[in-house]
Amino acid sequence: MKRTTLIGAGVPRPDAIDKVRGEARYADDLAFPGMLHASLVRSPHPHARIVGIEAEAARSLSGVVAVLTATDVPGDNIVHVIVDDQPALAEGVVRYVGEPVVLVVAGTRAEARAAAAAVHVEYEVLPFVADPLAALEPGAPLVAVPSAAEGGNLFNRMVLDKGDADRAVADAVAVVEGVYETGYQEHAYLETQGAVAVPEELGALCVYGSMQCPFYVQNAVAKVLGLPLAKVRVVATATGGAFGGKEDVPSLIGSLAAIGAWATRRPVKLVLDRAEDVLTTSKRHPSVVRYKTAADADGRITGIDVDVVLNAGAYQTLSSAVLWRSLVTAAGPYRVPNVRVVARSVATNTVPNGAFRGFGSPQVIFPHESQMDLLAERLKIDRVEIRRRNVLHAGDCTSTDHCVASSVGVAETLDRAADLAHWPERLASIDAHNRSSSETRRGIGVACVLYGVGLGGKAPFLDKAGATMKLEPDGSVGVAIGTVEMGQGLTTAVLQVAAEGLGVPLDRVQLAPVDTSRVPDSGPTVASRGTMMSALAVLDAAAKLRERIENVAKAHKIPKREIADRLPEIAHHFWIENLDPAVEGFASTEPVSWDPATGLGDAYPVYAYATHIAEVEVDVRTGETRVIDYIAVHDSGRILNRALATGQVEGGVAQGIGFALMEGIGVRDGHLVVNGFTTYRIPTIRDVPLKPIVDFVEDLFPAGPFGMKGIGEVPLMAAHAAVARAVAHATGRRLTKYPLDPPRVRALLQEEA
Ligand code: MTE
Ligand code: MOS
């Protein structure tokens, strides 16, 4: 497709003004006549039997309209995500601290909270398990989720088996091994989870809320109310950040609000406060990952043998999808002929974990990039050079034996990042610094990543999207799509594509709020697929409408080059002549073939790549790490909007710095030790590099919109690893556990090298 002025341009976000003025309407800003407020009674125990619920005192409090338990759920008491194992309201047993047990609905939020505090639930405490490795031991307390393997706590076990990994290890010139652990990461979106359910005419219900996946919420709410899908409408309100945290959880929040609204026949709002949100909603899966990497004398990887364990928490939610990413990403962006990966997700009595930017891949990227550096050290090869010798090129096959013909720009990202960093000179200047300073030590780290865009072989049926487009009689164009703006810039990019596809100015095109009743199921806004897939659907619609516009123009002797300027006149002809001005667009990815038994096949329609280089300075006395310089080069195919793509990279780098250096949550007696943002530390402006260099290699994806292939999650994935490797370089220590916070780094520095 030809390149024109709109594609790639740093067009300003149309949603920015409302957001900075505080005028955007988030879930908690919505109000409806007669609206009630909901609050939850939650489990105080990691595992317990519910003996009795005493709600009379709560019912008699002022303002209380309903006190609802599992038996009041009109449809199935199930929050439908991937497998149906999680109740909307606990039934007979609670399996994690914070699990919803009773839903209280009252006139005001304060009344609802007071009434929730007055509900008395009697529990018989049961043995619990919070650690995933302990949960796999024989005789461990059983979380007893119906979806776990018989008699145990195993949720999912997946295998990737290619060639002969044992033989590769036995025959290798160099083998490096490590066990790596990562902890919780909280999404820390600015807007907490929230939804408003509103009964509508003709026996229908609408759920408004903060979410990534309106069609997931529609499905979940229909199930829980026992309604046909067509009676449930879901509208995604302005969403104040999500990062994967609003992929599965809104299905629970929306279902609870809907249960309240259906019971009371009035609009019901449920909004979590910050401490409640941090304690009770999904996070990044903590992991324990073992790696063996084998290589020949030139540093070419001959095999990997990997074991992944993820702590799934008390219900499966998205764990199988997250685990699948760990499995198929374990080899990174490298050619590896012999691969064995065994990946397990394990039930524990802790909050169910879910999606977080990167979906199970950061848990294997920290290890695979650490292993690359260990190999480099062992074989005395430069760290950039060893990556150069192993990265995939067009025509190579990934670890799953997916042979990728084009749009493989990883080598170019590596070369460009190394150039921008002046890698050899930088190594020398860092050496010089470290020789002259006894107070600080500097280090530089490099990390390369691959990321499969979309749902791919795990859920090919979700890789589709719809769009509608309507030419109004005045020449403006209304567009509707089914994926969500959550800060990543999708609205702007999709509008650019719509205007470009139609050949009309940007200000002619308006995007409608996402509403499941306007467009076909467009899959979830996840896996860095949202912008790409909706842009494809919009392009399909634009091509159809453009053809009709051209026909009308031709009939009225309007030359093609004048169409953009004379669109109002053309639109008027549509109206006067009773011509159909509305079209539908649809897009789906090429079918992928992937075999769950061997883990082999075309895992994804396409992969995005990146190389990041971070320079850090570690304070030897305090163990504190500062990121002092940063270079990020991405191949996400065509960049639709350079300013927004750069923003995605900078934001992802900040989140990656947080993951590597400071974020984490302890668990004591089955309780997460955290109380909102006072005890959960995330990076501030003082913790991020002030002048990161961000650059793009545009190795076009032929089936993408204008060659684009998704960028959203990739920056975080590369960033934490680059930072961790820089800390390893600075300290000269093996690093095996996140976060690399001051106490841990101080302790490492005190160890013998
Ligand atoms: N950027 C912002 N500002 N806010 C977000 O919530 N989510 C990330 C990423 N970037 C997120 C974000 C995640 S987890 C995904 S999957 C992608 O955006 C989704 O956007 P896309 O598919 O439209 O790129
Ligand atoms: Mo992003 S974790 O795929 O929502």
Side-chain angles (χ1 to χ4, degrees):
M1 228 168 276
K2 71 181 192 317
R3 184 168 196 175
T4 63
T5 48
L6 269 182
I7 298 304
V11 169
R13 320 171 57 118
D15 53 330
I17 303 287
D18 287 347
K19 283 176 177 164
V20 293
R21 280 195 184 141
E23 288 167 5
R25 283 157 61 78
Y26 297 90
D28 203 15
D29 296 320
L30 300 185
F32 294 86
M35 187 174 79
L36 301 169
H37 296 263
S39 183
L40 290 159
V41 180
R42 294 176 177 276
S43 167
H45 303 295
H47 198 191
R49 205 167 66 77
I50 299 172
V51 179
I53 298 175
E54 182 45 71
E56 280 323 299
R59 280 204 176 88
S60 66
L61 289 180
S62 95
V64 175
V65 180
V67 180
L68 305 166
T69 65
T71 52
D72 299 307
V73 175
D76 297 340
N77 183 24
I78 283 293
V79 182
H80 176 67
V81 183
I82 295 177
V83 294
D84 287 346
D85 65 355
Q86 182 182 15
L89 290 167
E91 215 169 320
V93 59
V94 286
R95 296 189 174 86
Y96 68 97
V97 172
E99 181 163 4
V101 182
V102 182
L103 180 75
V104 177
V105 183
T108 67
R109 192 171 291 168
E111 287 169 340
R113 287 191 181 159
V119 173
H120 178 72
V121 183
E122 198 184 328
Y123 295 99
E124 177 196 326
V125 170
L126 298 172
F128 70 90
V129 61
D131 177 80
L133 294 182
L136 286 173
E137 293 292 324
L142 292 181
V143 181
V145 197
S147 66
E150 190 88 21
N153 289 317
L154 182 70
F155 272 148
N156 314 104
R157 182 175 186 277
M158 299 179 186
V159 181
L160 172 51
D161 204 347
K162 182 174 79 164
D164 188 341
D166 289 331
R167 167 123 238 162
V169 169
D171 293 351
V173 172
V175 177
V176 293
E177 294 184 43
V179 182
Y180 301 86
E181 289 179 49
T182 62
Y184 283 111
Q185 189 178 19
E186 156 61 28
H187 306 86
Y189 32 68
L190 281 183
E191 181 205 18
T192 59
Q193 305 270 352
V196 188
V198 183
E200 294 191 324
E201 284 85 49
L202 309 177
L205 179 114
C206 181
V207 174
Y208 300 82
S210 185
M211 65 183 74
Q212 295 175 238
C213 311
F215 298 94
Y216 285 8
V217 177
Q218 183 195 17
N219 265 285
V221 169
K223 258 205 160 101
V224 99
L225 297 186
L227 288 178
L229 285 168
K231 281 198 192 283
V232 178
R233 189 165 75 88
V234 175
V235 175
T237 48
T239 292
F243 306 108
K246 292 172 183 170
E247 179 168 348
D248 55 329
V249 178
S251 295
L252 172 64
I253 305 292
S255 293
L256 291 169
I259 291 165
W262 209 244
T264 59
R265 300 273 142 200
R266 286 166 67 175
V268 169
K269 179 188 278 186
L270 175 63
V271 175
L272 305 192
D273 67 27
R274 178 64 63 185
E276 185 182 20
D277 191 302
V278 172
L279 274 169
T280 68
T281 66
S282 76
K283 306 186 200 310
R284 192 186 295 290
H285 291 64
S287 68
V288 181
V289 181
R290 289 167 192 280
Y291 259 75
K292 260 187 215 166
T293 310
D296 66 16
D298 297 329
R300 293 203 164 75
I301 303 171
T302 51
I304 57 169
D305 185 357
V306 180
D307 181 78
V308 177
V309 172
L310 298 185
N311 179 355
Y315 298 101
Q316 281 204 36
T317 68
L318 296 161
S319 286
S320 63
V322 171
L323 188 72
W324 193 64
R325 286 267 174 198
S326 304
L327 186 82
V328 299
T329 313
Y334 305 115
R335 267 186 319 261
V336 184
N338 300 289
V339 180
R340 177 167 57 228
V341 187
V342 176
R344 289 171 292 173
S345 74
V346 184
T348 64
N349 291 109
T350 54
V351 64
N353 292 310
F356 193 140
R357 209 171 186 177
F359 257 107
S361 68
Q363 290 92 329
V364 293
I365 291 168
F366 168 43
H368 77 55
E369 288 309 273
S370 301
Q371 295 280 105
M372 285 309 270
D373 285 359
L374 293 180
L375 268 185
E377 195 183 350
R378 178 78 60 83
L379 295 166
K380 303 201 167 26
I381 301 173
D382 173 78
R383 288 177 285 151
V384 167
E385 177 57 27
I386 198 167
R387 287 172 171 80
R388 202 173 273 138
R389 290 182 192 174
N390 286 287
V391 286
L392 297 162
H393 292 265
D396 285 340
C397 307
T398 68
S399 64
T400 72
D401 251 351
H402 182 185
C403 305
V404 190
S406 68
S407 195
V408 184
V410 59
E412 213 180 323
T413 67
L414 176 61
D415 287 339
R416 194 172 307 171
D419 282 351
L420 287 166
H422 304 288
W423 180 259
E425 296 82 2
R426 188 80 67 119
L427 288 175
S429 74
I430 288 173
D431 253 3
H433 172 89
N434 290 345
R435 273 197 304 273
S436 69
S437 168
S438 57
E439 280 150 31
T440 62
R441 294 195 57 84
R442 289 192 183 159
I444 190 165
V446 55
C448 301
V449 299
L450 143 154
Y451 188 75
V453 176
L455 289 317
K458 185 70 176 64
F461 50 88
L462 291 174
D463 264 339
K464 58 190 158 202
T468 62
M469 208 175 256
K470 177 155 73 99
L471 180 65
E472 300 287 4
D474 65 354
S476 59
V477 179
V479 181
I481 57 169
T483 57
V484 173
E485 172 68 57
M486 51 193 179
Q488 83 276 40
L490 169 144
T491 298
T492 319
V494 164
L495 282 173
Q496 284 173 262
V497 167
E500 184 70 33
L502 282 167
V504 306
L506 198 57
D507 61 10
R508 283 276 156 72
V509 191
Q510 179 71 27
L511 197 63
V514 176
D515 178 332
T516 55
S517 69
R518 285 180 205 266
V519 282
D521 188 337
S522 299
T525 313
V526 304
S528 303
R529 70 180 288 281
T531 301
M532 180 178 91
M533 293 308 297
S534 281
L536 281 174
V538 158
L539 267 184
D540 183 47
K544 291 172 185 163
L545 186 55
R546 174 77 193 184
E547 195 189 328
R548 288 191 205 167
I549 290 171
E550 283 178 4
N551 287 340
V552 173
K554 198 168 164 199
H556 293 276
K557 309 216 161 20
I558 298 172
K560 259 191 191 172
R561 68 191 138 72
E562 289 177 22
I563 288 178
D565 291 334
R566 295 172 66 181
L567 197 59
E569 185 185 331
I570 298 167
H572 186 69
H573 288 303
F574 268 79
W575 191 80
I576 286 285
E577 295 163 29
N578 294 341
L579 301 173
D580 180 1
V583 294
E584 286 182 2
F586 197 76
S588 62
T589 54
E590 288 276 303
V592 292
S593 68
W594 180 78
D595 175 8
T598 57
L600 297 181
D602 299 351
Y604 293 99
V606 67
Y607 303 84
Y609 305 89
T611 298
H612 285 201
I613 292 179
E615 184 176 353
V616 303
E617 185 170 275
V618 176
D619 184 316
V620 175
R621 194 173 47 84
T622 62
E624 194 176 4
T625 300
R626 279 194 315 124
V627 180
I628 55 176
D629 201 13
Y630 208 93
I631 290 129
V633 183
H634 282 251
D635 166 27
S636 280
R638 176 84 77 215
I639 295 303
L640 295 177
N641 183 314
R642 208 176 168 93
L644 291 177
T646 302
Q648 282 292 284
V649 176
E650 291 176 351
V653 168
Q655 264 178 332
I657 289 172
F659 187 41
L661 296 184
M662 61 188 81
E663 299 183 40
I665 300 176
V667 183
R668 199 185 298 138
D669 301 329
H671 294 248
L672 301 194
V673 188
V674 66
N675 181 23
F677 287 165
T678 44
T679 47
Y680 190 81
R681 294 183 48 216
I682 55 172
T684 68
I685 192 73
R686 294 170 57 97
D687 301 302
V688 297
L690 286 180
K691 290 204 177 95
I693 297 176
V694 177
D695 203 359
F696 301 99
V697 166
E698 296 181 271
D699 199 331
L700 303 191
F701 170 41
F706 298 96
M708 176 265 194
K709 58 179 178 182
I711 190 164
E713 295 163 277
V714 192
L716 183 156
M717 293 161 40
H720 66 92
V723 169
R725 296 321 302 156
V727 176
H729 182 221
T731 58
R733 298 295 190 272
R734 275 192 83 158
L735 309 176
T736 56
K737 206 168 174 177
Y738 282 176
L740 299 162
D741 56 5
R744 178 161 290 142
V745 171
R746 212 162 49 227
L748 282 167
L749 283 170
Q750 280 156 9
E751 280 172 15
E752 289 291 308

